Amino acid sequence: MDVASSSANSSRVHNDGSVYAPISLPLRQAFKQHVAKTNIHNITEKFTKACNGLDVGQLVKDEYFTLFESIGALEIMDPKMDSGFLQPGETLEDDYDPLTPLLPDELIGIMDQLLCYEMAWHTGYPLSQTLFTSLHIDRLLWPETKVFEHAQFYRGDVEEGKRPGVFLEVLRAYCLALVKGCDFVIAKVTGRDYFEEEDFCTNTYNRVLFVQVPVDVFARELDAAVDLMEDPDLDIPDALRKAITTRLDFRKSFLTALDLDLPLDNLSRYWAPILSSITTIKNTHALGTPVPSSFSTKIQRKLASTVPPRPIVDLAFADALAKLTQLCTDCEEATRFTTLPLDPLEYQAFLWTFASRDPTPLPYSRSYLSTILFDPATLNTSISLPLTDIRSLVFPSSPILDPLNWTLSPPRNPLLPKPPRLQLALLIDDFVDRAGQPYLDFWIALGQNRCRLRRMLTHVIIAWDFLQVDAALVDADLMATCQQLGVEPQVLDNPLTAWVYVKKLWMMEKVVLLGFEQDIYLPDEFAGMYYFLSVVAAKRAAELDRCEKHVGERTMQLIGASRYQDAQDVDDMGPYVDSELQQAKGVSEFAKALYRFYTILLYLGLIPHLKRPFSTEELRYELRMKPFLALQPVEVPLFAEFQAALQPYGSYSSPSSSASLQADLRDPDSALWTSIDAAIKAAKDAFARVKKYGSRKSKASGVEQAWGKEVNGLLASCVALGVGVAGVKDAVGKAEGDADSGTGALGVKVEIPKVGEGKRYAEGWVVGKVVKV
Amino acid sequence: MDNAKASFYLSQFIGKPLRIHTSDGRVFGGQMKCTDKDRNIILALTYEYRSPSAEVIRKAIEASGNPSAPVNWNSRYVGLVVIPGEHVRKIEFEESAYSGHKSGMVL
């Protein structure tokens, strides 16, 4: 107690050791409440005169106030900017009183309307144009109440006669639970590790959606409402009573399912009850009577919003229920994530399939899945997820990953070299750390909507490109250490680089395929993009081929060393690596066949070739390749190479080697045709082998059905292409004799199946259909 | 008023609280940031005040029985706004002087 001893004479030390100022000191002057006198001066006249004295263009302004800032100012009385501007005769207040007694059918009408607005909000509209247009909800939320019980359709006291009746009380419980549900949804969407949602509006316009109130309070309100409805003294037709209680039950189960603090196991049981009540809600919808006057756009003027009121978004009831059903089924599907085998590749397959669901999952469902994915319970596993992924591909029973390596201790003198095995462990640990972020970024990208996924993947690819550079450095150290240990033959050359590279190429393929899926490319670009896809996939196949060979060699080595158990384990890895290899081969061959097919169609003029006077082919090529131009090793073929592959006979409109083109086209045995057939056959064989491995061995057992559908789609696409090629070949053969083989002369045309019409067997693979005219 | 005088007079109000009544009966209270020849005024940290509707006033009087019953104005934060000169009906300067202090402003 330095303070006490040094100032003992001027202050007193109390028993508890606290020090007080001596009482003799004058008390500090109490803070005087300055009741500032406010004088209001009317300065209109002088101000106006002074303004008139200014020069045109002269500003009297705060020197720190910039023109840039002034642009952000809202212009008062401008109907487009001033949210408080009223049209002549327009009133700010609404005529509807939320205390107006309700009939039971009106209650149903309002509940159903609220559900429509809720789903409209889920599909991306702001709350201000949906739920916040309800006068009932507005009254509950504003003015904000400190005590939950005060959140009523009135504030303060109300005359006895106007006290809300049973149906208003029921509506209040329903609205409260609805609002809390919105709070949960917003919390879940914004609570993700990566939040930048473009399809969802989280703005609450300064209204607080009962953030602090725990969920059981709302459940209690709903239970009380159900009790009110089930009161035998309540005079109401049974059908209506049932319809209302169903809606209350639905609201309760929905709120429970939206709750943030649910444990991961058993998540799936929350969604089924909601789905089962949807049918009843649908069947009883007709019992309700809408009350349009209880919704108003005018409330928007009272929200903390800078835009004047916009119209209410109307989603039809049937559509709203469809969205709700979709939301619930998607979330239910997402809960299956918790049952997946502990394997990052399974996770990856699941994420990819979930993102590919049709119709595309709503933002909430996607957030729901990523919350499960990034839950500590999922990520903090006993194994390192990236390392498991690496091991599955490049480290078959490898001395690099020998658990013994991790048991060695470093030498006590830090200057002494570390034992090589320990070095291996440290190198791997370093690399896994380094790979963690790109790996998570990759998963985060998979959790976005499809369009964003495509855009984000291009960024993730860049990150993986950097990772590849680092992997090469680690690989060099790994290889040197292995050499020192003499275990080089047991290790794949540059294993980490191989792994990173395979993943990176896979993402590049997906970017191109997603481009097809999203109709980014025009028909005359198909040939070029499939050519690029085929080049990329071929590189991946080559890399995987190396991995597969290594697995084979390693099995033989282990058998040679009589380590049969290990040999068996390594052999079990084979199917996954081979399945990936066949997949890559299939993609490459099929893309090759397609690019050749479209090239022929371009020469035959069967695909519209747009005239683009203001651009060159080279610039367009550069534009398409932009996301990949910076990559190392160089992935984008030179333009000359690209040109040579796509226009082997010169330009499409006037081929320079016209004669040989015609000859090749007419000869069904020319390389032009046979190469396509060979590629289709190779692709078909590869996909058939993938199919034979099945989803389990391809590490997609969690999404067996979707996986099977995808493989079948690929196979069907191959067949369709075969038919298409035969059709064109036939047509060209028949048109023989005609020197000029224009479209009309061939008697066929090509139809490009559109996105989302279900006419493509696989959305990323556009196979033109050849039809007779 | 000549230009120098006018500039001096107006610049006293920079950063000071003004209340501006607009042609539709609303009042905007905020700190003046900028003005020009057309009497366009930029206010920062502005609140919008709107007189209660006749209906609300009627109800308040009915409820209290007092014809001069107080009724609150509705207010709302609107932030940085520009009020076009043509819509400015009345400008008030809100002088909050502590007793004994002189604001030293030429009004």
Side-chain angles (χ1 to χ4, degrees):
Chain A
M1 287 298 295
D2 295 0
V3 182
S5 55
S6 65
S7 58
N9 33 1
S10 67
S11 53
R12 287 192 265 173
V13 182
H14 284 248
N15 295 341
D16 59 349
S18 55
V19 183
Y20 288 91
I23 294 173
S24 58
L25 274 179
L27 285 172
R28 211 163 58 111
Q29 201 172 13
F31 176 67
K32 202 166 125 199
Q33 201 82 51
H34 285 290
V35 184
K37 240 191 342 180
T38 317
N39 296 324
I40 308 289
H41 304 277
N42 187 345
I43 53 168
T44 319
E45 218 169 297
K46 217 167 168 199
F47 198 99
T48 312
K49 260 191 213 153
C51 283
N52 282 330
L54 295 177
D55 296 334
V56 174
Q58 184 189 357
L59 293 177
V60 175
K61 68 177 193 72
D62 184 341
E63 58 178 314
Y64 298 110
F65 186 71
T66 59
L67 175 68
F68 180 71
E69 253 184 290
S70 72
I71 292 169
L74 296 173
E75 187 169 335
I76 298 304
M77 302 299 284
D78 176 345
K80 285 216 174 81
M81 278 173 128
D82 180 6
S83 53
F85 176 74
L86 299 179
Q87 297 293 346
E90 195 184 359
T91 56
L92 184 71
E93 301 293 323
D94 286 286
D95 312 329
Y96 187 83
D97 181 0
L99 282 176
T100 314
L102 287 182
L103 295 170
D105 52 319
E106 287 174 334
L107 172 62
I108 296 174
I110 294 180
M111 283 172 156
D112 286 355
Q113 191 60 57
L114 286 172
L115 184 63
C116 290
Y117 290 149
E118 188 185 14
M119 293 331 289
W121 174 59
H122 269 285
T123 53
Y125 292 99
L127 280 173
S128 61
Q129 286 172 269
T130 54
L131 285 172
F132 281 2
T133 60
S134 158
L135 287 159
H136 290 105
I137 289 184
D138 180 57
R139 200 55 83 82
L140 291 176
L141 293 175
W142 197 259
E144 201 189 333
T145 51
K146 300 253 177 337
V147 183
F148 177 72
E149 284 67 31
H150 291 178
Q152 300 280 355
F153 293 141
Y154 55 88
R155 285 289 181 278
D157 292 324
V158 71
E159 321 151 31
E160 206 42 51
K162 289 203 78 179
R163 213 158 253 298
V166 172
F167 299 121
L168 272 178
E169 286 295 350
V170 170
L171 180 61
R172 174 174 171 267
Y174 187 87
C175 288
L176 288 173
L178 170 62
V179 170
K180 185 65 189 174
C182 296
D183 176 48
F184 279 148
V185 169
I186 291 173
K188 179 135 313 187
V189 172
T190 53
R192 285 152 70 189
D193 281 33
Y194 174 89
F195 163 66
E196 199 180 301
E197 193 49 78
E198 58 188 13
D199 329 328
F200 190 68
C201 191
T202 54
N203 195 349
T204 61
Y205 307 93
N206 225 4
R207 297 278 146 104
V208 181
L209 308 183
F210 302 120
V211 178
Q212 302 291 343
V213 186
V215 65
D216 44 327
V217 174
F218 298 91
R220 230 170 26 234
E221 294 283 345
L222 285 171
D223 287 340
V226 172
D227 286 348
L228 281 177
M229 287 313 302
E230 280 170 355
D231 182 358
D233 293 341
L234 186 68
D235 183 25
I236 171 176
D238 262 351
L240 292 178
R241 188 195 303 262
K242 179 109 194 319
I244 294 170
T245 46
T246 311
R247 280 161 176 73
L248 290 170
D249 288 340
F250 152 74
R251 194 40 74 185
K252 191 173 169 193
S253 36
F254 195 32
L255 186 63
T256 319
L258 294 175
D259 193 353
L260 302 172
D261 303 323
L262 297 176
L264 278 197
D265 36 340
N266 264 328
L267 273 184
S268 57
R269 68 192 164 109
Y270 297 107
W271 295 100
I274 308 175
L275 284 167
S276 65
S277 55
I278 289 179
T279 333
T280 325
I281 294 181
K282 188 191 259 167
N283 294 339
T284 51
H285 175 61
L287 296 175
T289 312
V291 188
S293 54
S294 70
F295 297 91
S296 158
T297 51
K298 287 180 183 176
I299 300 170
Q300 292 177 49
R301 294 194 194 282
K302 296 198 274 174
L303 301 173
S305 149
T306 51
V307 281
R310 300 218 198 130
I312 298 183
V313 176
D314 258 318
L315 189 65
F317 188 68
D319 296 340
L321 280 189
K323 283 284 167 207
L324 178 64
T325 315
Q326 188 206 335
L327 181 84
C328 295
T329 41
D330 284 351
C331 285
E332 201 175 22
E333 171 72 15
T335 60
R336 287 209 308 113
F337 189 88
T338 54
T339 62
L340 291 183
L342 181 55
D343 186 337
L345 292 162
E346 286 278 355
Y347 293 179
Q348 181 186 319
F350 189 87
L351 290 172
W352 179 262
T353 313
F354 190 79
S356 326
R357 276 173 81 84
D358 183 41
T360 182
L362 290 171
Y364 179 76
S365 325
R366 283 189 277 111
S367 312
Y368 190 79
L369 176 59
S370 22
T371 317
I372 301 176
L373 169 65
F374 291 108
D375 191 281
T378 318
L379 287 187
N380 296 346
T381 50
S382 51
I383 56 161
S384 154
L385 294 175
L387 187 57
T388 313
D389 192 333
I390 300 171
R391 184 201 303 264
S392 310
L393 196 65
V394 292
F395 285 136
S397 175
S398 170
I400 294 182
L401 291 191
D402 190 340
L404 276 180
N405 299 352
W406 272 265
T407 60
L408 302 169
S409 8
R412 275 187 298 281
N413 182 349
L415 295 177
L416 288 180
K418 296 188 180 74
R421 283 180 165 273
L422 176 64
Q423 277 181 31
L424 289 180
L426 292 176
L427 284 170
I428 290 293
D429 280 349
D430 270 359
F431 180 75
V432 169
D433 266 2
R434 167 69 181 83
Q437 194 55 48
Y439 205 78
L440 277 189
D441 286 347
F442 172 49
W443 278 6
I444 287 168
L446 290 180
Q448 309 295 313
N449 69 34
R450 287 302 250 187
C451 311
R452 201 186 180 87
L453 169 60
R454 185 177 144 272
R455 281 176 280 137
M456 260 181 92
L457 269 185
T458 59
H459 296 284
V460 176
I461 289 171
I462 304 285
W464 280 72
D465 194 51
F466 292 137
L467 180 64
Q468 194 175 350
V469 175
D470 293 349
L473 296 176
V474 180
D475 271 341
D477 289 347
L478 278 180
M479 296 322 283
T481 317
C482 286
Q483 214 164 12
Q484 215 177 331
L485 282 169
V487 292
E488 231 187 335
Q490 302 173 26
V491 176
L492 178 72
D493 266 350
N494 298 323
L496 299 176
T497 318
W499 175 72
V500 176
Y501 196 32
V502 165
K503 269 255 185 309
K504 187 173 95 179
L505 290 169
W506 182 84
M507 284 185 246
M508 291 172 64
E509 287 170 32
K510 291 299 180 195
V511 169
V512 177
L513 285 170
L514 281 169
F516 278 106
E517 226 174 89
Q518 290 159 22
D519 242 354
I520 304 270
Y521 313 122
L522 289 169
D524 58 345
E525 290 174 300
F526 285 0
M529 292 319 289
Y530 278 124
Y531 167 69
F532 179 63
L533 177 62
S534 143
V535 170
V536 173
K539 285 184 190 164
R540 186 162 70 102
E543 205 65 22
L544 282 164
D545 194 40
R546 228 158 56 80
C547 299
E548 204 222 355
K549 286 217 173 72
H550 176 65
V551 171
E553 281 165 16
R554 191 75 192 115
T555 316
M556 295 325 284
Q557 282 171 2
L558 288 167
I559 291 175
S562 309
R563 285 165 61 188
Y564 297 108
Q565 185 56 45
D566 290 342
Q568 183 60 54
D569 289 348
V570 170
D571 195 47
D572 289 344
M573 273 177 70
Y576 167 67
V577 180
D578 193 42
S579 154
E580 286 291 293
L581 169 63
Q582 297 306 330
Q583 176 83 18
K585 263 191 193 159
V587 168
S588 168
E589 291 294 335
F590 190 27
K592 193 174 20 175
L594 270 170
Y595 113 70
R596 296 231 158 109
F597 175 58
Y598 281 115
T599 311
I600 292 181
L601 294 186
L602 280 168
Y603 274 118
L604 290 174
L606 287 171
I607 282 185
H609 191 250
L610 295 184
K611 292 263 178 294
R612 298 185 182 88
F614 300 110
S615 73
T616 65
E617 271 179 64
E618 192 164 359
L619 285 175
R620 284 200 303 277
Y621 179 66
E622 196 186 315
L623 182 70
R624 286 297 182 215
M625 294 300 139
K626 201 132 214 175
F628 314 114
L629 284 177
L631 300 183
Q632 286 296 333
V634 180
E635 307 296 353
V636 178
L638 290 176
F639 180 67
E641 226 173 286
F642 174 77
Q643 192 83 346
L646 283 172
Q647 305 188 356
Y649 301 96
S651 82
Y652 298 128
S653 45
S654 52
S656 51
S657 42
S658 177
S660 68
L661 169 66
Q662 293 301 334
D664 285 347
L665 278 173
R666 296 224 175 98
D667 176 11
D669 294 323
S670 69
L672 191 63
W673 294 109
T674 52
S675 68
I676 297 187
D677 292 335
I680 296 178
K681 189 173 173 304
K684 240 194 281 187
D685 288 351
F687 290 138
R689 276 179 71 178
V690 175
K691 187 178 176 181
K692 217 166 144 201
Y693 280 125
S695 63
R696 184 166 299 280
K697 288 189 173 146
S698 309
K699 299 209 186 244
S701 62
V703 285
E704 202 176 340
Q705 245 180 334
W707 184 89
K709 209 173 141 219
E710 196 187 323
V711 178
N712 283 334
L714 285 170
L715 283 168
S717 301
C718 288
V719 176
L721 180 60
V723 175
V725 172
V728 176
K729 211 193 301 187
D730 265 9
V732 175
K734 277 184 195 144
E736 207 168 355
D738 276 336
D740 181 39
S741 53
T743 321
L746 284 175
V748 290
K749 64 173 181 168
V750 174
E751 283 173 3
I752 304 293
K754 291 253 162 27
V755 177
E757 285 179 356
K759 289 196 178 141
R760 294 183 185 177
Y761 295 106
E763 287 294 330
W765 296 96
V766 190
V767 183
K769 199 174 165 201
V770 179
V771 280
K772 289 212 167 66
V773 282
Chain B
M1 215 184 275
D2 65 20
N3 189 296
K5 248 188 192 166
S7 310
F8 170 74
Y9 176 80
L10 292 172
S11 56
Q12 314 180 83
F13 296 111
I14 288 169
K16 295 287 186 306
L18 291 189
R19 287 185 193 173
I20 301 190
H21 297 243
T22 53
S23 50
D24 65 342
R26 279 180 291 168
V27 178
F28 291 89
Q31 290 178 12
M32 191 183 100
K33 282 283 171 195
C34 181
T35 187
D36 64 1
K37 187 176 174 61
D38 296 328
R39 210 175 45 164
N40 299 316
I41 301 170
I42 298 185
L43 295 181
L45 309 171
T46 313
Y47 278 83
E48 173 204 73
Y49 301 90
R50 185 191 294 276
S51 68
S53 65
E55 176 79 351
V56 175
I57 297 174
R58 191 179 57 77
K59 273 189 188 155
I61 293 176
E62 261 174 30
S64 65
N66 176 2
S68 57
V71 186
N72 282 333
W73 279 44
N74 301 311
S75 77
R76 181 175 74 120
Y77 181 70
V78 283
L80 189 67
V81 299
V82 50
I83 303 163
E86 51 174 320
H87 294 297
V88 175
R89 285 291 171 274
K90 187 174 168 192
I91 306 168
E92 286 175 324
F93 169 55
E94 211 175 298
E95 187 188 36
S96 59
Y98 299 117
S99 47
H101 285 262
K102 274 267 177 273
S103 69
M105 300 207 20
V106 183
L107 296 174

